[in-house]
Amino acid sequence: MRNLFRLSTVPLLAALAGCGGDNSVAPSVPAVTLSEAVGAKISSCEGIKTSFTFANTAIDSAVVAPAGTITLAGAPIAAHCLVKGKMNERTGSDGRTYAIGFEMRLPNDWNGRYFYQANGGLDGSVVTAVGAFGGGATTHALAQGFAVLSSDAGHTGAQTTAFGFEPQARLDYGYQAVGKLTPMAKALVKSGYGKVPDRSYIGGCSNGGRHTLVAAARYGDQYDGFIAGAPGYQLPKSAVAAIWSSQQFAKVMTPGATTLNGANTIPDLSTGFTAAERRMVAGKILQKCDALDGLNDGLIQDPIRCQATFNFAVDVPTCSGARDGSCLTADQKTVVAAVHAGAKTSASQAIYSPFWFDSGIGYSNWALWKFVNSIALDPLAAGTIFRATPAFIPNSLTVDVDSLNTGIYATNATFTEAGMTFMTPPNPSNLATLRDRGAKVLVYHGASDPIFSAADSLAWYQSVAAANNGDARNFARLFTIPSMPHCSGGTATDQFDPITPMVNWVERGIAPDSIFAAVRGVGNAGGINAEIPSAWSQTRSRPLCAYPTVATYVGGDSEQASSFRCQ
């Protein structure tokens, strides 16, 4: 069930062969040694505008961002140099102007480390380069002194609905933007500080997690640490599966029911599985699985064991009369069971992974992805970006899913790399390049994720372990987060810092057996999660445990992480 992502040994130069634009690559970095990065002071910020040169790269501006320009949990971030620019500006085959836009923030007092911020969704925006993780983050890479890069992955927001029709823009989005930006970013660091970074890290959640695992496969010689959150490393499959899932819920929705998504009216799939019904199912899951870790606390620490303990068909009541939130109809149970079992073709072949039953099913993030984004976002990606002959999908609730599934594996004379080729790691279980250098991979995933399955990340991890004599823990670790849906939210301890454990692992040899995590309760400086139950301590904490261990209650204050052990 848990997948770890295979990484190929294809060297960077070969991976970029045939790409449009600049194919400059950074030299392979040496083996990772147990030594800490050494910082430096920036020499001249404004001077970078005129002094920095790199093939096919234009620096638009380099200005000092005074302390407090960016704040984190109410605290000012130290002064830094903000550099904005673009790479490989060109006219695409569709007549539009394309480029890989980026910004880089270089702290005045630098810690010697570089962080590539892999962004989410369909990209298209240069998100502020801070290197943050999780909901309501109270730390990020920039706050810790990293030089941080962010990019739009080769297209702008205005091109988001069209870039899938442009072959090179697809490839930049899939993997080539990371390959092109990496050597440039390291050169830019050297321009600012007089030395290249001692350590390089990359990370993000969702599509950012996908970017990270693809980079681990293709550019394993360029980064020392890879932090992949909720990695949709099989994103084309999951997009098709989400459309299939929406078609299942449409079978039990209220006929003609609609809802607003922004300014757009879309079918209201949530009428087929209401919030009250989802909370009821969540309660039934908790009844069977909550105490498996030794404590009834509203969190299922052992989601794998829960799948064998919870019997959806038996443990959820079947309505004998009208729906009232206390039961599901037979048709509803058929649909919900099928969605969790995983999307299938008409010939019953698996399209994507199954999904775990977990208590996060009762919360808003789960509903957003299953009922709204499956209509509003996934058809755009599956229709115009991932299939060989791009076309907008006029009605995703009636589209032929078999055809969509075939399309993500197809190529033609114009689109020579299939969606499942340019979006995914070439060989997800092969991490030999980074492993042999001593680089590390840390993956985290919410057990209730409704779009990128945590079961898929487990299956990936197990495949990596199998490729390494049954044990990959010396270079790869997987952490599941109870009740957390996609990247944050739910009744979860969704606030944690994966950066510091990664640095300790790479530079000090301290492998992360657990990561401290807390809820975002009332008074939390990083933002409040309104879904946290009022009965919980608003500072509840738990250890996130490296697979195959789970957090087990050993006695003491049930609201504190110190009362649990990973075992």
Side-chain angles (χ1 to χ4, degrees), residues 124-370:
S125 175
V126 182
V127 180
T128 303
V130 296
F133 287 90
T138 54
T139 187
H140 52 50
L142 184 64
Q144 295 183 20
F146 287 69
V148 183
L149 176 86
S150 172
S151 89
D152 60 14
H155 61 275
T156 67
Q159 298 165 333
T160 298
T161 59
F163 82 90
F165 292 83
E166 211 287 315
Q168 184 58 47
R170 280 190 180 194
L171 301 182
D172 284 338
Y173 169 64
Y175 68 95
Q176 292 184 7
V178 174
K180 295 167 184 175
L181 287 164
T182 295
M184 185 281 298
K186 292 182 180 182
L188 187 55
V189 167
K190 184 176 182 180
S191 177
Y193 300 108
K195 56 173 280 188
V196 296
D198 293 320
R199 292 287 179 263
S200 297
Y201 299 87
I202 181 172
C205 197
S206 188
N207 179 56
R210 180 199 68 83
H211 276 304
T212 300
L213 285 181
V214 170
R218 294 182 179 272
Y219 313 123
D221 62 341
Q222 293 300 309
Y223 290 92
D224 306 307
F226 301 79
I227 305 172
Y233 83 108
Q234 301 198 86
L235 203 160
K237 287 184 179 182
S238 66
V240 173
I243 295 171
W244 178 90
S245 174
S246 71
Q247 294 182 355
Q248 308 315 302
F249 283 117
K251 297 175 183 178
V252 291
M253 68 174 283
T254 300
T258 61
T259 187
L260 285 176
N261 177 43
N264 299 316
T265 299
I266 62 173
D268 189 357
L269 297 180
S270 70
T271 59
F273 192 23
T274 66
E277 291 166 337
R278 290 186 289 106
R279 286 193 295 269
M280 178 272 296
V281 173
K284 299 299 182 182
I285 298 170
L286 285 168
Q287 286 177 16
K288 299 293 290 189
C289 300
D290 190 354
L292 294 176
D293 57 12
L295 182 69
N296 277 303
D297 60 352
L299 289 171
I300 299 167
Q301 299 289 352
D302 195 343
I304 300 171
R305 187 177 171 193
C306 182
Q307 305 316 299
T309 304
F310 174 69
N311 185 328
F312 176 72
V314 173
D315 295 330
V316 173
T318 303
C319 296
S320 57
R323 290 169 56 185
D324 62 1
S326 67
C327 57
L328 297 181
T329 67
D331 287 343
Q332 285 180 296
K333 291 181 77 170
T334 296
V335 166
V336 174
V339 167
H340 279 81
K344 305 287 193 299
T345 67
S346 60
S348 297
Q349 295 179 329
I351 293 173
Y352 182 53
S353 168
F355 289 83
W356 289 338
F357 280 103
D358 191 67
S359 56
I361 193 174
Y363 296 94
S364 59
N365 182 293
W366 194 94
L368 173 68
W369 285 97
K370 290 299 190 188

Side-chain angles (χ1 to χ4, degrees), residues 451-465:
I451 180 64
F452 300 144
S453 171
D456 196 33
S457 283
L458 174 57
W460 168 74
Y461 187 80
Q462 291 174 331
S463 74
V464 173

Side-chain angles (χ1 to χ4, degrees), residues 362-387:
Y363 296 94
S364 59
N365 182 293
W366 194 94
L368 173 68
W369 285 97
K370 290 299 190 188
F371 302 145
V372 178
N373 291 346
S374 61
I375 295 176
L377 297 182
D378 292 297
L380 173 64
T384 67
I385 302 171
F386 303 148
R387 60 178 172 177

